[in-house]
Amino acid sequence: PDDDVDDIAVSGGADELYAVFLENVSERRNFERMRRDFVTNVSHELKTPAGAISLLAETVSDAAEDPDAVRYFSGRISKESERLTELVQKLIALQKVQNDEGLAAADRRPVDVPQVVREALDENAVQADAANIELRMYVGDDTVGVQTNEANDTADGTEADRAGRSGGMDGDAADGTAEPAYEPMIVEGDADAIKTAVKNLVENAVHYSPKGTHVGVSVKQEGGFVRIRVIDQGIGIPVEAQSRIFERFYRVDPARSRETGGTGLGLAITKHIVQEAGGTIDVWSRPGEGSTFTITLPVASGENHSND
Ligand code: ADP
């Protein structure tokens, strides 16, 4: 009987070890599978525009006699190469945020969120203009910047005009000397990365919205958190896709996404950046009505929480 007890004790321990071993094996397998899928996806994504470029180049040379055709196909070649460039840039960005083992202490700085959001909006202004979409910024309970479509209609599109209008985001476009009209809200992180995260969301909001709608970006301090909401009146995201859109290369409608220059990487990058800053990101959406993406970041320690 004693032997039996020993056996049980030993085999119990071994079972446990074996279970841990199996868990490790399956974790490793999962990781390997994800890595393989990723490489397959990257190859596929790179091959598509590369293949198109070589086909189009052949077509151009066949159509050399026809200037209109040459113009048309050259335009498409530029578009496809822009796509390639964007893809490579996004892959590098993703690689960077995925490999960071936490931000180096030196990169962790106080970040004034409204300031960063304003810059992100300014950098999306040209794209929004082109899509005839109005960008609005709200800080706390105030509207601090509206880029109106009426302004677009009268604009002559010069750089000076554009600078004047985007300067309007801080409430005083004319002399550019006014201090921002909003209170600071400080989190801790890498300002450039947080700007990229917001830019990706605004870029998507513009991409997936019809002309003539508006995109609102609000920044609010709620207790110990700063919330950035990007709200659009666009096509929306089906419920079953909402949990998957943060995966690398996942797109609800690959054809539409490609057409609008999408890579399927933007939200994956954004999520990594937000997590790096100790925050979370979530989405609310109803197809046909629009989407709201919310980034929640903890207020930097030492900042007061008086805006509760
Ligand atoms: P993409 O480059 O394709 O836009 P993202 O990773 O940024 O890649 O987004 C993944 C997918 O999520 C998009 O292809 C699109 O289907 C969906 N999506 C993201 N943002 C929005 C939005 N604001 N409105 C509707 N669909 C969106």
Side-chain angles (χ1 to χ4, degrees), residues 254-276:
R256 183 191 166 108
S257 166
R258 283 205 188 86
E259 211 175 276
T260 54
T263 59
L265 294 176
L267 287 179
I269 294 171
T270 297
K271 187 171 181 183
H272 271 282
I273 291 173
V274 169
Q275 285 175 338
E276 190 73 45

Side-chain angles (χ1 to χ4, degrees), residues 1-16:
D2 276 4
D3 278 1
D4 282 344
V5 172
D6 272 2
D7 272 346
I8 289 164
V10 168
S11 72
D15 277 355
E16 248 167 57

